[in-house]
Amino acid sequence: MSATVTRTKITFHCTGCADAFEVTDQGVVKLHDEEYGECVWLVGGTLADYVEDPDCSGCGSELVFNTVSVCK
């Protein structure tokens, strides 16, 4: 019998520009940049940093957080 593993995936995006991010074990990764498009950039910082100041550094708009549980 195999065990079920649940992992929580946390992403967030800007409501003003097209910037999108994901929280990983290595830190916060930018997945989409308004100017450059799709990307995978380690931007540093932690989820706590973005929750404490939920404004986009690019345009100043609000960041929206999404949480999804993934079961395997």
Side-chain angles (χ1 to χ4, degrees):
M1 193 179 227
S2 64
T4 301
V5 177
T6 303
R7 181 172 181 258
T8 302
K9 180 178 177 180
I10 301 172
T11 61
F12 55 100
H13 67 276
C14 176
T15 58
C17 65
D19 289 358
F21 306 85
E22 181 176 355
V23 180
T24 69
D25 295 339
Q26 291 78 33
V28 177
V29 174
K30 190 174 214 177
L31 301 176
H32 192 275
D33 182 82
E34 183 176 33
E35 184 177 346
Y36 298 104
E38 193 173 321
C39 58
V40 179
W41 297 337
L42 183 62
V43 295
T46 65
L47 175 60
D49 296 329
Y50 288 91
V51 170
E52 183 179 316
D53 182 15
D55 295 330
C56 178
S57 61
C59 72
S61 294
E62 182 180 10
L63 296 172
V64 175
F65 296 84
N66 305 300
T67 304
V68 176
S69 293
V70 179
C71 297
K72 290 185 177 182

